[in-house]
């Protein structure tokens, strides 16, 4: 049976950072909805053009577009064993749709690590985030710097600051998270799959707590 893990937490909590570190260990494909949208934006696909305005404003792309995109992605070969979902679902409607599609494939959401970090810390993290152009590896100028400034340790590509990581957009994204995504904490708690993780700890410690929660630690 395939295994599905959903990483929950506000923007800047460390979902992408942790997913990069644990997806191989778990044997699951790392599926980041934000990365897929950014790839579509870069290639100016129809989906990218539709998503652009929402992303620039720090708002959520409409559910129907997002759900279809993820459903498509989860049916590729690299997701046969399951997936580590990073950034999806972000609304109750997306969570319902995910549950339904997984049930069709004889799967379910097995575990939801919820990485909690207070809002003030999120602003510092996102405003200092540097992202790799080629594959979206993430760094922080203070908390997790690359070895060579401006260059990705993994693939040598250029690091850039995302347009939506400027302060006003970050504030908007955090309030969108509180309004539309935070109800999922209760939703997954009720389903008995939520594992709260203290995301203010150093990156390595968060990784070991995550692996413990996923029973691989
Ligand atoms: P998300 O995917 O949840 O938006 P990221 O993984 O991109 O979050 O992390 C946001 C920023 O915070 C990045 O610059 C990252 O290097 C940094 N970061 C991630 N985890 C930690 C941590 N535990 N402590 C300090 N900084 C962190
Ligand atoms: P972060 O790493 O800060 O959490 P993401 O890279 O996950 O941000 O998302 C960037 C943007 O892409 C979001 O602000 C939103 O516009 C769009 N997006 C990503 N995932 C979703 C989703 N599940 N539903 C709607 N919009 C999404």
């Amino acid at each position: 049976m395939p295994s599905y893990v959903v990483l929950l937490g506000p923007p800047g909590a460390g979902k992408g950072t942790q997913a990069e570190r644990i997806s191989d260990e778990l044997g699951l494909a790392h599926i980041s909805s934000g990365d897929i949208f950014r790839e579509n934006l870069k290639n100016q696909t129809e989906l990218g053009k539709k998503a652009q305005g929402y992303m620039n404003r720090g708002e959520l792309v409409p559910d129907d577009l997002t759900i279809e995109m993820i459903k498509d992605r989860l049916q590729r070969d690299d997701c046969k064993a399951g997936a580590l979902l990073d950034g999806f679902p972000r609304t109750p409607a997306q969570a319902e749709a995910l549950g339904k599609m997984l049930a069709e494939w004889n799967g379910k959401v097995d575990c939801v690590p919820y990485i909690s970090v207070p809002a003030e810390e999120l602003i510092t993290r996102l405003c200092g985030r540097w992202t790799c152009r080629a594959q979206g590896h993430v760094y922080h100028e203070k908390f997790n710097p690359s070895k060579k400034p401006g260059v990705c340790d993994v693939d040598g590509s250029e690091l850039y600051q995302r347009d939506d990581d400027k302060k006003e957009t970050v504030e908007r994204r955090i309030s969108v998270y509180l309004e539309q995504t935070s109800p999922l904490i209760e939703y997954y708690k009720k389903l008995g799959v939520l594992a709260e993780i203290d995301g203010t700890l150093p990156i390595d410690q968060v990784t070991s707590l995550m692996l413990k929660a996923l029973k691989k630690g």
Side-chain angles (χ1 to χ4, degrees), residues 8-20 32 38 86-87 90 115 117 121-122 124-131 136-145 162 165 173 198-206:
L8 195 59
K15 301 181 297 296
T17 300
Q18 297 301 328
E20 254 177 53
S32 155
R38 278 185 290 281
D86 160 14
R90 257 176 156 101
I115 311 179
V117 174
E121 172 74 13
L122 299 173
T124 315
R125 286 193 185 182
L126 292 174
C127 295
R129 171 161 72 179
W130 289 80
T131 303
H137 298 112
V138 283
Y139 299 87
H140 189 280
E141 54 197 26
K142 272 211 210 102
F143 308 137
N144 184 27
R162 277 169 45 179
D165 279 348
R173 284 159 61 207
D198 179 357
T200 62
L201 295 169
I203 293 175
D204 284 344
Q205 283 184 44
V206 177

Side-chain angles (χ1 to χ4, degrees), residues 56 160-166 169:
N56 288 343
Y160 75 106
Q161 285 193 293
R162 277 169 45 179
D163 275 348
D164 60 347
D165 279 348
K166 50 180 187 292
T169 320

